[in-house]
Amino acid sequence: MSSVVSADQVSPSRLRKFFAPTSVALVGATDKSRWSTSTFGNLKNFDGPVYLINPRGIDVHGTPSYKSVLDVEGEIDLAYLMLPVPAVMPVLAELAQKGTKNIVLLTAGYGEMGEEGKVREQELLDFCLANDMTLLGPNGNGYINAADGRTPYGLAITPPLVTGNVGFITQSGGLASAILAQAQARNVGISLLCAMGNETMVNNVDVLRYLVDEDDNTHVIAMFIESIRNPEEFLAIADRALAKGKPIVVLKVGRSEAGARVAKAHTGSLVGDDAVVDAAFKQHGVIRVNSLEDLCMTAGLLASLGGKPLPGRRVGFVTASGGACEIISDRSADEGLEIPDFEPETIKKIEAVVPDFASVQNPLDVTGYILVSPTLSRDCIQAAVDDPNIDFVVYSTDLPKTSPPDPEPVFAQFTATAQLLRTMSKPVIPLGSTLLDVTDFARQVQQRSDFPYVLGGIDHGITALGRALQWSEAYRARQVRGAGEAPAGHVGEALDVEGFAASRGITGRTTWAEHHAAAFLAQHGVPMVPQEVVADADAAVAAANRVGYPVVVKLAADDIEHKSDIGGVKLNLTSDADVREAFDAVVAAGHKAGGEVVGALVQPMRGAGLELLAGIVTDPAWGHVLAVGFGGVWVEVLRDTSLRVLPVERDEVLAALKSLRGAKLFEGYRGAEAADLDAVADAVHAIAKIAQGLGDKLESLEINPLLVRGGNVEALDALITWKS
Amino acid sequence: MSSVVSADQVSPSRLRKFFAPTSVALVGATDKSRWSTSTFGNLKNFDGPVYLINPRGIDVHGTPSYKSVLDVEGEIDLAYLMLPVPAVMPVLAELAQKGTKNIVLLTAGYGEMGEEGKVREQELLDFCLANDMTLLGPNGNGYINAADGRTPYGLAITPPLVTGNVGFITQSGGLASAILAQAQARNVGISLLCAMGNETMVNNVDVLRYLVDEDDNTHVIAMFIESIRNPEEFLAIADRALAKGKPIVVLKVGRSEAGARVAKAHTGSLVGDDAVVDAAFKQHGVIRVNSLEDLCMTAGLLASLGGKPLPGRRVGFVTASGGACEIISDRSADEGLEIPDFEPETIKKIEAVVPDFASVQNPLDVTGYILVSPTLSRDCIQAAVDDPNIDFVVYSTDLPKTSPPDPEPVFAQFTATAQLLRTMSKPVIPLGSTLLDVTDFARQVQQRSDFPYVLGGIDHGITALGRALQWSEAYRARQVRGAGEAPAGHVGEALDVEGFAASRGITGRTTWAEHHAAAFLAQHGVPMVPQEVVADADAAVAAANRVGYPVVVKLAADDIEHKSDIGGVKLNLTSDADVREAFDAVVAAGHKAGGEVVGALVQPMRGAGLELLAGIVTDPAWGHVLAVGFGGVWVEVLRDTSLRVLPVERDEVLAALKSLRGAKLFEGYRGAEAADLDAVADAVHAIAKIAQGLGDKLESLEINPLLVRGGNVEALDALITWKS
């Protein structure tokens, strides 16, 4: 997709009509086009009229055609346009005359084609808006409304089209068919699949809103995302989806620098810093995956859980292979699944049924005797379910690929197992060995026996379980916070910047240096180190004696941001004489640099401690972002910084601190006092609340360092930059 | 597998006979056992006689049986035993009498069952050794010699059994069938698949040796490994395989702590530290993967390359979807594939054939017009191949799943493409969109058209490419080193420890404290900081004046390892008086700690620099391991240590240094002088060479810190521990 224009949001009720047309016209239908052949073929089972429009009026696809949409006697509810660019606007004019409101435009050659194309795209949008038309595309394949059997979609749909409760939204038309094939191979049922194209009018956030708020057929949304045009709205919808128990699973490209560059080239829109995207998703319960396989499987698993969260991370595994147990252990460690020991009681129950050469532990290998004993697996699953240390059970099973001469015993066996699983008091999830297609026979087995969703192999299956747990935890946290509260909309009280500036005589500054910034932040709850602004050396000495030796003397100048670079900071001063000398030196340095020197700041010198860096930056797509990390090498060498988009709650700030790679440093490294994480979180949250209160005025805010010595948390320097 | 016993290595020539039996007896055959049914079914196409042995002599599987192996008139080349434990030894005795040399033992209940089982397993081995029998198992499913159609294998083989050049070795019997199914679904042809079982006699290293040295049908080896009984031999074979161009791909479990625990419980043998395994594999060109899917696909890709390395990391991607380009970019960044810009000339050629709305870049989206223009993709591939910045080309294509009514055009199209690809001057590798089974029709298409191996989807496909590049680079480095040299066998000159100890009067010590260790290391090329051992305060002062102030005074005591813990180190002394006081203090501290005090060490005090930690540790499975990392938080908080098993070449030491997460620190962090990496590598390599020279005597060796200031590299402290 690639757009330069924007439309107001397209409402769910409008999209409900758009996705349920009563009649369809294929405009530009021709036997020579594979798109035309495919779209016509896809509509074979559509229960309304399908009109073919061909300027020559000849038979197309063995069916008579109309020369013009105006020749069609009945109503055209939706028009699917496969036309050369020059033909598009004239046909749209005819469709407007005809009263058609719903347009899918397959044609490419718009915003993705440079300036000329952008002009065409604007013209297109203006026309559709003026004529109350809903437009999907251009440069998009259309959609598949599987639930209702309405499939104006330009690429061949290989049967069977498996219907179900996952709604797919993809910004890549080319990948739509890959997603379709993968969903089919995983036996993931589709409610709607929508290929966005250039998003000239309808964009992915609109379709997401429709699926979350309006479409009861959709229980899980799976998205392929290149960029999000309206991040704030996206997050607000994500919050509603989380409250409702409709998981959103996203494959968002641009994780790598190269990927972001390619995505930007294809979309032409800002994609934002990927680390920010990641943070925003995590905060709002949007689940991120890295492959189309994981997209389909995670969505399939979540759909099979029916909007219910998994009860916890403690899994009991029942397999028939020691090797599988070992791979499961490794992959579970990767994905944060816990595999606790079984209770002695559980072990006793399992030992009673497995052969005596089996080693009874979690993950459990019931051994190859599974081939001999039909009840072995079931008894072990029951024992694991009954174990109080276990939240849910995963057991190894593979769906059959091909039918034996008599399939009835297979159906009977799977039916019996399915019935048994339904009686279990905890979720029991089947897991295949490796990723293999669910064949037509396997699908038949699953349908006939009402067998639950089978995770396709250990590798992707454990990933899907890890993602489902992420969602489950976000969902439960959301339930605790309460359904009434919408965090994305919550903003702190507005702060009176103008009053503060006026009181200090600050005018026309886009940057506030430390002596202003610190005072402002202290006033709003950030624990700043004590400081006094002094205008001469005598005052500096007096201040030093008040704050207590040793002290720091820093240049106070309205227009100098990086004092230390010009020799404007003198540390560890221990006598009046030193202070006097330092005052003169920093002021001289300020004058030499041509600064508007106010005087100097005097602060107590602090001893060694843990140095943090905390601040607010503005992401071009996602707005204010809180960044927090350790100072020094941690930032520069390791890039160990944790991000959260604003607004942010205190518990999220705490989570951000704990997620730092160097978080062990908080525990008190090499005899240092352990940091009071609550005090650190309070200080950092105060910064976030200030940014929320400042809103759009703020460009960036930087505290460097935020010094932590046990429970003592103090900001030693600060800088605020305003949007100009 | 789980073994307590050990056998001499089983030679390739013996295994050659073992894997090519001329006649087979299934002992314990019965209609009631699924193993029996499967094994008999698998041997349907075996061209020698198959004898069924059942104690009742009844018809089994519709075939007459013999009551005893002794009743069989002809020779029994291989016996496949499916018997209860108590029946095994009597039958073996009969087989010995009969002259049968090759035994597959399916039966479980040996080493994996505790002490009693271990005794049984030893008895089994002793018997087989005494009777010149080759034993695979117990507790193993047997093997599939696909190349020769000999398949004494206990689980059903779902046809087709795809033959080819990948040899699979698995220590998990349960996973053997999963591997078989996955290989089939990926259309990876098998030469031999061997399920090891308990490895009482034949172990995975034996089979690896056979496949590398003896089996020309096998071009790539794929292994599922729980543990390696003979690491040194494994690495020696790996070196031969690398020299020969036979890649070894390994899924080794035990990456996580939990996984290692589970693997150890299942195998009962030492698995070694996983980080050491990882290092050993990397050093010897063994390619590691994390899933069965990646195992099959990486092996399949490498087999399709026919032992030839990929020319380089610079890939040209030709796809038909912008979305695919973006996922490819992200995944390529993960796996270290480079995607350089196309040359202007290339861009011109591509622009001439793609529609004008296409954006021409690498990775390339040729757009949906691929549906319209049959030559579009080919022209773009050709242009990419001709680009001098590109080492090889990957292009998107999916094999068809089902046959159209007339499959001939499909065959023709794939045949034409395959022919075209063969004319290309660089490798061109097809890549599917997602992981989908290669269906029977797809396999037919591939066979009929002689179409190259198709990577199954972007996610696993890019992983396979990344792994193939790792192998390619290891292979090329091996070619440069020369085929004659075998690094795994190369050990440094033996060092005279005894003479050194005698000259210093050291007797019966398992640990050498700094004053001895430093002298020994300095003598063998490690750059130690200058130091003098002094016996009294006057000598300390004299020494301090010789080495120059400021100085460090440290306790010298033969039996105190951690001097600083007991106050035995005084830093930054600047005067004779300080030195005198320090000498008395450290000696007093030594006496207080009850040490055998020799006196003190005097060293110059060094300024700040980059502190490294370098040393040798002994892994229970892999022997001496070189560990190097940054000191302080880097080790304790980040575990940023790089490992190499010994012996190690200097270039590997350099690579180890560069692979540290904090490697940017070498560039000169915050104004510090950039480190002379060559000097650092020399110092660290000197340590490795000493360890190689010391061989089994050495338990561990620790240099902490190794101080780096630009080109100045000095060890400031050292400790050596000997095997007791």
Side-chain angles (χ1 to χ4, degrees):
Chain A
M1 41 134 250
S2 162
S3 171
V4 283
V5 288
S6 75
D8 285 320
Q9 62 179 56
V10 181
S11 72
S13 57
R14 181 180 274 267
L15 285 178
R16 169 177 290 285
K17 287 184 204 145
F18 182 79
F19 289 130
T22 51
S23 55
V24 174
L26 301 188
V27 190
T30 158
D31 285 331
K32 282 180 268 177
S33 156
R34 282 173 68 174
W35 288 287
S36 180
T37 313
S38 297
T39 313
F40 184 72
N42 293 339
L43 289 166
K44 230 169 20 200
N45 298 322
F46 177 56
D47 62 5
V50 176
Y51 306 109
L52 300 181
I53 316 297
N54 179 296
R56 292 164 59 211
I58 54 171
D59 278 13
V60 179
H61 310 316
T63 307
S65 74
Y66 298 82
K67 284 192 177 173
S68 155
V69 293
L70 294 174
D71 296 343
V72 175
E73 55 289 355
E75 184 209 42
I76 298 177
D77 194 3
L78 181 143
Y80 190 99
L81 273 53
M82 307 169 280
L83 295 165
V85 168
V88 170
M89 290 310 297
V91 166
L92 275 183
E94 291 176 353
L95 285 166
Q97 197 179 328
K98 180 92 187 138
T100 301
K101 297 295 181 203
N102 301 306
I103 311 289
V104 177
L105 181 52
L106 176 75
T107 309
Y110 287 85
E112 77 279 13
M113 241 193 86
E115 281 316 310
E116 199 190 333
K118 284 177 193 168
V119 171
R120 270 203 291 275
E121 191 161 322
Q122 187 67 52
E123 186 190 7
L124 190 63
L125 175 64
D126 291 345
F127 185 88
C128 289
L129 287 174
N131 290 279
D132 195 26
M133 286 169 156
T134 305
L135 171 72
L136 180 65
N139 196 15
N141 297 323
Y143 65 82
I144 298 170
N145 180 344
D148 281 357
R150 290 154 213 269
T151 52
Y153 178 74
L155 297 168
I157 302 172
T158 310
L161 175 57
V162 186
T163 60
N165 304 113
V166 179
F168 285 92
I169 305 172
T170 169
Q171 283 181 319
S172 163
L175 287 185
S177 292
I179 289 170
L180 200 58
Q182 184 61 214
Q184 188 188 75
R186 302 281 76 75
N187 205 18
V188 172
I190 295 176
S191 52
L192 179 85
L193 183 151
C194 187
M196 300 310 307
N198 284 13
E199 299 192 337
T200 302
M201 180 187 284
V202 178
N203 66 37
N204 59 354
V205 175
D206 295 322
V207 181
L208 177 67
R209 188 189 304 107
Y210 166 74
L211 293 178
V212 169
D213 295 342
E214 185 86 9
D215 185 24
D216 293 337
N217 283 323
T218 298
H219 300 170
V220 175
I221 296 107
M223 305 178 77
F224 173 83
I225 296 183
E226 291 169 328
S227 71
I228 299 171
R229 281 177 213 287
N230 187 348
E232 206 176 311
E233 172 72 0
F234 174 85
L235 294 182
I237 300 170
D239 285 329
R240 290 203 297 278
L242 192 58
K244 272 190 168 183
K246 277 192 180 183
I248 301 172
V249 187
V250 169
L251 171 56
K252 162 85 175 62
V253 288
R255 284 189 297 120
S256 65
E257 246 173 78
R261 213 173 50 237
V262 173
K264 198 173 169 183
H266 283 143
T267 66
S269 66
L270 287 168
V271 291
D273 184 323
D274 190 70
V276 176
V277 174
D278 219 48
F281 284 2
K282 278 204 190 103
Q283 285 173 255
H284 294 271
V286 174
I287 303 307
R288 191 169 188 183
V289 293
N290 292 335
S291 72
L292 293 173
E293 289 85 350
D294 289 330
L295 184 70
C296 290
M297 203 178 301
T298 304
L301 171 63
L302 286 164
S304 77
L305 295 175
K308 276 188 222 118
L310 287 168
R313 293 195 166 260
R314 301 172 307 167
V315 194
F317 282 99
V318 178
T319 83
S321 148
C325 288
E326 293 148 9
I327 303 178
I328 284 169
S329 296
D330 282 346
R331 291 287 296 117
S332 293
D334 295 342
E335 304 293 338
L337 276 62
E338 293 166 17
I339 310 181
D341 289 338
F342 286 134
E343 289 274 291
E345 182 64 22
T346 311
I347 292 177
K348 231 183 282 173
K349 286 187 218 163
I350 294 173
E351 278 176 344
V353 294
V354 295
D356 52 6
F357 58 83
S359 62
V360 176
Q361 57 180 346
N362 186 18
L364 177 68
D365 167 15
V366 302
T367 80
Y369 274 72
I370 196 168
L371 292 177
V372 184
S373 162
T375 57
L376 180 56
S377 214
R378 296 175 196 181
D379 291 344
C380 294
I381 292 169
Q382 183 69 62
V385 164
D386 292 342
D387 190 306
N389 290 339
I390 299 296
D391 294 317
F392 67 99
V393 171
V394 175
Y395 87 102
S396 293
T397 200
D398 279 295
L399 291 169
K401 299 208 80 162
T402 51
S403 176
D406 176 12
E408 288 307 325
V410 178
F411 295 142
Q413 179 207 333
F414 275 85
T415 303
T417 306
Q419 277 165 355
L420 180 88
L421 297 184
R422 272 193 292 277
T423 67
M424 297 281 179
S425 58
K426 293 172 185 170
V428 180
I429 300 170
L431 171 69
S433 306
T434 65
L435 193 72
L436 297 173
D437 287 3
V438 176
T439 61
D440 288 341
F441 178 65
R443 189 174 295 112
Q444 204 185 331
V445 169
Q446 216 160 3
Q447 276 161 1
R448 284 271 297 262
S449 61
D450 199 10
F451 200 79
Y453 185 71
V454 180
L455 289 167
I458 297 170
D459 191 38
H460 293 279
I462 301 283
T463 300
L465 286 170
R467 297 301 191 278
L469 283 169
Q470 284 175 12
W471 180 81
S472 299
E473 286 169 3
Y475 175 80
R476 275 197 300 271
R478 183 72 188 78
Q479 297 301 108
V480 170
R481 273 205 310 273
E485 189 192 340
H490 157 236
V491 166
E493 53 169 329
L495 304 185
D496 180 16
V497 183
E498 291 72 18
F500 182 89
S503 75
R504 298 175 70 96
I506 312 171
T507 50
R509 296 248 166 258
T510 56
T511 298
W512 284 3
E514 181 177 3
H515 56 293
H516 295 313
F520 183 76
L521 295 178
Q523 186 178 312
H524 295 290
V526 178
M528 301 298 304
V529 70
Q531 59 175 12
E532 294 190 24
V533 183
V534 293
D536 59 46
D538 287 342
V541 168
N545 281 284
R546 274 192 299 273
V547 302
Y549 282 107
V551 299
V552 180
V553 172
K554 297 174 176 175
L555 170 66
D558 278 358
D559 52 355
I560 291 179
E561 295 171 28
H562 298 290
K563 304 173 290 283
S564 51
D565 295 350
I566 61 158
V569 177
K570 300 290 172 192
L571 300 171
N572 210 16
L573 309 170
T574 53
S575 69
D576 292 359
D578 284 353
V579 168
R580 207 171 284 282
E581 191 186 321
F583 179 89
D584 292 342
V586 302
V587 164
H591 285 303
K592 195 177 162 203
E596 288 181 45
V597 178
V598 173
L601 277 173
V602 180
Q603 302 171 348
M605 174 79 193
R606 296 309 189 198
L610 212 50
E611 293 194 4
L612 290 177
L613 210 146
I616 305 290
V617 294
T618 302
D619 181 86
W622 296 83
H624 282 168
V625 178
L626 171 71
V628 63
F630 293 103
V633 291
W634 296 90
V635 175
E636 296 174 43
V637 178
L638 290 181
R639 302 176 182 213
D640 185 17
T641 305
S642 190
L643 305 178
R644 292 296 184 274
V645 294
L646 298 191
V648 69
E649 305 285 334
R650 188 183 168 287
D651 57 350
E652 265 298 329
V653 172
L654 201 59
L657 292 166
K658 288 180 181 168
S659 74
L660 289 167
R661 270 202 270 174
K664 239 176 112 86
L665 295 171
F666 287 125
E667 293 169 17
Y669 170 69
R670 286 209 165 162
E673 198 182 342
D676 179 345
L677 265 179
D678 280 317
V680 180
D682 284 340
V684 176
H685 192 217
I687 297 165
K689 282 190 291 189
I690 290 171
Q692 285 161 212
L694 292 170
D696 282 348
K697 293 169 195 161
L698 182 71
E699 173 67 32
S700 70
L701 191 165
E702 189 185 335
I703 306 272
N704 183 10
L706 182 71
L707 187 73
V708 180
R709 294 169 299 158
N712 200 321
V713 180
E714 276 178 327
L716 302 192
D717 198 351
L719 189 71
I720 298 178
T721 306
W722 304 98
K723 287 231 173 78
S724 48
Chain B
M1 40 134 247
S2 160
S3 172
V4 283
V5 286
S6 75
D8 286 320
Q9 63 178 54
V10 181
S11 72
S13 57
R14 182 181 274 266
L15 285 178
R16 169 178 290 286
K17 287 184 206 143
F18 183 79
F19 290 129
T22 51
S23 56
V24 174
L26 302 188
V27 189
T30 158
D31 284 332
K32 282 180 265 176
S33 157
R34 283 174 68 174
W35 287 288
S36 181
T37 314
S38 297
T39 313
F40 184 73
N42 293 338
L43 289 167
K44 229 166 24 199
N45 298 321
F46 177 56
D47 61 7
V50 176
Y51 307 108
L52 301 181
I53 318 297
N54 179 294
R56 292 165 57 211
I58 53 172
D59 278 14
V60 178
H61 310 316
T63 308
S65 74
Y66 298 83
K67 284 192 176 173
S68 154
V69 293
L70 294 175
D71 296 342
V72 175
E73 56 287 357
E75 184 209 42
I76 298 176
D77 194 3
L78 181 141
Y80 190 98
L81 273 52
M82 308 169 279
L83 294 166
V85 168
V88 171
M89 290 308 298
V91 166
L92 277 182
E94 291 176 352
L95 286 165
Q97 197 180 330
K98 181 95 187 134
T100 301
K101 297 294 181 202
N102 301 307
I103 310 289
V104 176
L105 181 51
L106 176 75
T107 309
Y110 288 86
E112 77 279 14
M113 241 193 85
E115 282 315 310
E116 200 191 335
K118 284 177 193 167
V119 171
R120 269 202 293 273
E121 192 161 321
Q122 186 67 50
E123 185 190 8
L124 190 63
L125 175 64
D126 291 344
F127 186 89
C128 290
L129 288 174
N131 289 280
D132 196 28
M133 286 170 156
T134 305
L135 171 71
L136 181 64
N139 196 13
N141 297 322
Y143 65 82
I144 297 170
N145 180 345
D148 281 356
R150 289 156 214 266
T151 52
Y153 178 73
L155 297 168
I157 302 170
T158 310
L161 175 57
V162 185
T163 60
N165 305 114
V166 179
F168 285 93
I169 305 172
T170 170
Q171 283 181 319
S172 163
L175 288 184
S177 291
I179 289 170
L180 199 60
Q182 184 62 212
Q184 187 188 77
R186 304 281 74 75
N187 204 18
V188 172
I190 295 176
S191 53
L192 178 83
L193 182 149
C194 187
M196 300 310 307
N198 284 12
E199 299 192 339
T200 301
M201 179 187 286
V202 178
N203 66 37
N204 59 354
V205 174
D206 295 322
V207 181
L208 177 67
R209 187 190 306 108
Y210 165 74
L211 294 178
V212 169
D213 294 343
E214 185 85 9
D215 185 26
D216 293 338
N217 283 322
T218 300
H219 300 170
V220 175
I221 296 107
M223 304 177 79
F224 173 82
I225 295 182
E226 290 168 330
S227 72
I228 298 172
R229 281 178 212 287
N230 188 347
E232 205 176 312
E233 172 71 1
F234 175 85
L235 294 182
I237 301 170
D239 284 329
R240 291 203 297 279
L242 191 59
K244 273 190 167 180
K246 277 194 180 180
I248 301 172
V249 187
V250 169
L251 171 55
K252 161 84 175 64
V253 289
R255 286 189 295 119
S256 64
E257 246 172 78
R261 215 174 46 237
V262 173
K264 198 172 168 187
H266 283 142
T267 66
S269 66
L270 287 167
V271 294
D273 183 324
D274 191 70
V276 175
V277 174
D278 218 49
F281 284 0
K282 278 202 189 104
Q283 284 173 256
H284 293 271
V286 175
I287 302 307
R288 191 169 187 181
V289 296
N290 292 334
S291 71
L292 293 173
E293 289 85 351
D294 289 330
L295 183 70
C296 290
M297 204 178 301
T298 304
L301 171 62
L302 285 163
S304 77
L305 296 175
K308 277 189 221 121
L310 288 167
R313 293 195 166 260
R314 301 172 307 166
V315 193
F317 282 99
V318 178
T319 82
S321 150
C325 289
E326 293 148 10
I327 302 179
I328 283 169
S329 297
D330 282 344
R331 292 286 297 120
S332 293
D334 295 340
E335 305 293 339
L337 276 62
E338 292 167 18
I339 310 181
D341 289 339
F342 287 134
E343 289 275 290
E345 182 64 22
T346 310
I347 292 175
K348 229 184 283 171
K349 286 186 218 162
I350 293 173
E351 278 176 346
V353 294
V354 295
D356 53 6
F357 57 84
S359 62
V360 177
Q361 58 180 344
N362 187 17
L364 177 67
D365 168 15
V366 305
T367 81
Y369 273 71
I370 196 168
L371 292 178
V372 185
S373 161
T375 58
L376 180 56
S377 213
R378 296 175 195 182
D379 291 344
C380 293
I381 292 169
Q382 184 69 63
V385 164
D386 292 342
D387 190 306
N389 290 338
I390 299 295
D391 294 317
F392 67 99
V393 171
V394 174
Y395 88 102
S396 294
T397 198
D398 280 294
L399 291 168
K401 298 207 79 162
T402 51
S403 176
D406 176 13
E408 288 306 326
V410 177
F411 296 143
Q413 180 208 332
F414 275 84
T415 303
T417 306
Q419 279 166 355
L420 180 88
L421 296 185
R422 272 192 291 277
T423 67
M424 297 281 178
S425 60
K426 293 173 186 170
V428 180
I429 299 170
L431 171 69
S433 306
T434 65
L435 193 71
L436 298 173
D437 288 2
V438 176
T439 60
D440 288 340
F441 178 67
R443 190 173 294 115
Q444 203 187 335
V445 168
Q446 215 160 2
Q447 275 162 1
R448 285 270 298 262
S449 61
D450 200 10
F451 200 78
Y453 186 70
V454 180
L455 289 167
I458 297 169
D459 192 38
H460 294 278
I462 301 283
T463 299
L465 287 169
R467 297 302 191 277
L469 283 168
Q470 284 175 11
W471 180 81
S472 300
E473 287 170 2
Y475 174 81
R476 275 197 300 271
R478 183 73 188 75
Q479 299 300 109
V480 170
R481 272 205 310 273
E485 189 193 339
H490 158 235
V491 165
E493 53 168 331
L495 303 186
D496 179 16
V497 183
E498 289 73 18
F500 182 88
S503 76
R504 297 175 72 96
I506 312 172
T507 48
R509 297 245 166 259
T510 55
T511 299
W512 284 5
E514 180 176 5
H515 55 294
H516 295 312
F520 183 77
L521 297 178
Q523 186 180 312
H524 294 291
V526 178
M528 300 298 304
V529 70
Q531 59 174 10
E532 295 190 21
V533 183
V534 293
D536 59 46
D538 286 342
V541 168
N545 281 285
R546 276 191 298 272
V547 303
Y549 281 106
V551 299
V552 179
V553 171
K554 296 174 178 175
L555 170 65
D558 277 359
D559 52 355
I560 292 178
E561 297 172 25
H562 297 290
K563 305 174 288 287
S564 51
D565 296 350
I566 59 158
V569 177
K570 301 290 170 188
L571 302 171
N572 210 16
L573 309 170
T574 53
S575 71
D576 292 359
D578 285 351
V579 168
R580 206 171 284 281
E581 191 186 320
F583 179 88
D584 292 342
V586 302
V587 165
H591 285 303
K592 195 177 162 203
E596 288 181 44
V597 178
V598 173
L601 278 174
V602 179
Q603 302 172 347
M605 174 80 194
R606 298 306 190 200
L610 213 49
E611 293 192 4
L612 291 177
L613 210 146
I616 305 291
V617 291
T618 302
D619 182 86
W622 297 82
H624 282 168
V625 178
L626 172 71
V628 62
F630 293 104
V633 293
W634 295 91
V635 176
E636 297 174 42
V637 178
L638 289 180
R639 301 175 182 215
D640 185 18
T641 305
S642 191
L643 304 178
R644 292 296 185 274
V645 294
L646 298 192
V648 70
E649 304 285 332
R650 188 181 168 288
D651 57 349
E652 266 298 328
V653 173
L654 201 59
L657 293 167
K658 286 180 181 167
S659 74
L660 289 168
R661 272 201 268 173
K664 240 176 111 90
L665 294 170
F666 287 125
E667 293 168 19
Y669 170 70
R670 285 209 168 160
E673 198 183 341
D676 179 345
L677 264 180
D678 281 318
V680 179
D682 284 340
V684 176
H685 191 217
I687 297 166
K689 282 190 292 190
I690 289 171
Q692 286 161 213
L694 292 172
D696 282 346
K697 295 170 195 158
L698 182 71
E699 172 67 33
S700 71
L701 191 166
E702 188 184 336
I703 305 272
N704 183 13
L706 182 71
L707 187 74
V708 180
R709 293 167 302 156
N712 200 319
V713 179
E714 275 179 327
L716 301 194
D717 198 351
L719 189 70
I720 298 179
T721 305
W722 304 98
K723 287 230 174 80
S724 46

